[in-house]
Amino acid sequence: MAARNSLTPQQGLGFFGLLILLCSAVLGKSQMCEVETGQTNIILDIEESRESFIGQPTTPPELPIFGDPDTEIALNLVFPKGQPIFQLNGKKLQLLQPLDRDEENLSHIVFQVSCTTRSTGKKRTIPIIVRVSDINDNAPRFMNTPYEVTVPESTPVGTTIFRNIQALDKDAGVNGLVEYFIAEGSPNSTNVEKYSADGYGTFAISFPHQGQVTVAKTLDFEKIQTYYLTIVASDRARNTADRLSSTTTLTVNIADSNDLDPSFIYSGCVSLDGACINPEYSASVPAGSLLGVLTVLPERIQAVDLDTINSPIRYSFASGMPGNYADYFQIDESTGVLKADESCGHFDGEEV
């Protein structure tokens, strides 16, 4: 009867354990310098620098490469197209200089890492792409300032009076989008001149993304001749606490329109806003008087244009009694001088 070799259960377990260790060792060595994600390249993200800060980490924080950089693999960065931007600390990338995505138009950085397996000397090169994400570090800047416009006081409410407000933001994405609005001015910055005022509430920006200024209230040159509008340009960072803004001033000059009737004026009359209320004149023609210019009380007929454009004033009779009064009197349309009409002859009676 032939003898047969057999393993005890304990010996069998030991054999298989040794086999697993050998397989693991072989598999581990074959994985050295491989990308853990199974990709042929590595993609990382990093924020641009805040001013001169260079300590921001990447995401993920380490290069996903199999192997211990101290005992199993050797890593070296290769920058074929320029000066080194990163250095290695183990598997971590550390900046050598600040990153300014906005000034340098730097959306990503491409370079390589050379990985050598220490036990075999086998080397491979892995491409690395570092995407630079924007931080909101730039406030909008107004273009083509100062802003000034002149509009007639008769401009209807709702009319767009200014379209040239523009601000640019160097940041990317929502951090670079700009919206506009009118802010209430400081009490010390308005009313520095007579007939000037803060334009907050009188004008509006109805569509913040456009920055077009419209009239919100009726204008009156005789009251306010210059408005100062505080224009704010703000970015649209998702976190409102992180939003940055800038301000500038739009000066709106109001031009007078011919919107006020002439007003009679004379000394001693009851006046409102420079015009006599219910003005009255009188003149008498004694019997036997010669025809000609009449003496008018309290003083000669005179009217002024309350608009500053000073349109010519023409005088005329609107109505009177008796109905044929125009046969006896005439008024000079340019000067307002009242005369007894010489074609009437002498008047009968004591006084007319």
Side-chain angles (χ1 to χ4, degrees):
M1 209 174 152
R4 301 177 67 182
N5 293 329
S6 61
L7 295 175
T8 65
Q10 291 78 8
Q11 290 173 324
L13 289 174
F15 174 76
F16 284 112
L18 179 61
L19 182 62
I20 292 172
L21 289 173
L22 290 172
C23 290
S24 297
V26 173
L27 184 60
K29 288 183 179 180
S30 67
Q31 284 184 318
M32 294 300 168
C33 291
E34 293 291 331
V35 180
E36 295 176 1
T37 60
Q39 303 296 319
T40 57
N41 57 21
I42 296 173
I43 299 178
L44 305 172
D45 293 286
I46 192 171
E47 282 190 347
E48 66 173 322
S49 299
R50 297 181 185 274
E51 299 181 351
S52 60
F53 183 70
I54 59 174
Q56 63 268 40
T58 60
T59 302
E62 293 187 344
L63 296 177
I65 299 174
F66 283 111
D68 187 328
D70 295 325
T71 60
E72 297 174 320
I73 59 175
L75 299 174
N76 291 287
L77 299 181
V78 180
F79 292 86
K81 293 185 178 181
Q83 296 295 318
I85 298 177
F86 294 95
Q87 66 180 2
L88 275 171
N89 180 9
K91 292 185 181 180
K92 293 181 179 180
L93 293 178
Q94 293 182 336
L95 281 170
L96 294 172
Q97 61 194 43
L99 289 178
D100 191 334
R101 187 187 194 282
D102 311 309
E103 290 292 339
E104 303 168 19
N105 195 24
L106 192 64
S107 61
H108 61 275
I109 304 168
V110 179
F111 55 100
Q112 300 168 343
V113 61
S114 173
C115 183
T116 303
T117 303
R118 294 182 187 272
S119 61
T120 64
K122 183 180 178 181
K123 179 185 293 186
R124 68 169 297 192
T125 300
I126 305 170
I128 296 178
I129 301 173
V130 178
R131 298 178 298 198
V132 183
S133 59
D134 182 65
I135 62 172
N136 193 27
D137 59 345
N138 290 288
R141 295 181 60 186
F142 284 98
M143 312 298 293
N144 305 317
T145 56
Y147 297 139
E148 186 168 3
V149 66
T150 298
V151 298
E153 66 173 329
S154 56
T155 304
V157 171
T159 303
T160 299
I161 62 163
F162 198 75
R163 303 175 185 270
N164 298 330
I165 294 175
Q166 183 185 23
L168 300 180
D169 193 317
K170 293 181 179 179
D171 291 315
V174 294
N175 295 336
L177 298 179
V178 180
E179 59 185 12
Y180 308 90
F181 59 92
I182 299 174
E184 189 170 1
S186 168
N188 294 329
S189 63
T190 58
N191 295 322
V192 294
E193 312 170 358
K194 187 178 181 180
Y195 302 119
S196 69
D198 178 23
Y200 179 78
T202 305
F203 299 89
I205 294 178
S206 300
F207 302 100
H209 63 285
Q210 293 180 353
Q212 298 182 0
V213 179
T214 60
V215 179
K217 292 182 179 179
T218 302
L219 307 176
D220 189 344
F221 173 87
E222 283 69 36
K223 293 182 178 179
I224 302 295
Q225 299 173 8
T226 304
Y227 289 95
Y228 297 100
L229 280 64
T230 301
I231 308 296
V232 180
S234 172
D235 61 40
R236 296 175 59 187
R238 289 185 176 87
N239 186 351
T240 56
D242 294 335
R243 291 182 179 178
L244 301 177
S245 63
S246 300
T247 61
T248 191
T249 299
L250 168 63
T251 301
V252 181
N253 299 307
I254 308 302
D256 194 15
S257 298
N258 190 21
D259 61 339
L260 296 177
D261 293 328
S263 174
F264 291 100
I265 58 170
Y266 53 85
S267 60
C269 75
V270 178
S271 64
L272 178 65
D273 294 331
C276 290
I277 300 175
N278 298 323
E280 293 184 358
Y281 295 92
S282 64
S284 60
V285 183
S289 296
L290 296 178
L291 302 179
V293 176
L294 301 179
T295 300
V296 177
L297 298 176
E299 58 185 59
R300 71 183 182 90
I301 298 174
Q302 182 182 11
V304 296
D305 186 359
L306 296 180
D307 293 309
T308 60
I309 56 179
N310 290 322
S311 298
I313 294 176
R314 288 185 171 86
Y315 300 88
S316 63
F317 292 130
S319 62
M321 293 183 64
N324 63 341
Y325 70 92
D327 294 335
Y328 298 95
F329 302 99
Q330 65 176 347
I331 188 169
D332 189 296
E333 69 171 14
S334 298
T335 64
V337 171
L338 185 64
K339 296 180 180 179
D341 194 333
E342 59 184 3
S343 66
C344 296
H346 293 285
F347 291 104
D348 295 328
E350 295 296 326
E351 188 175 274
V352 177

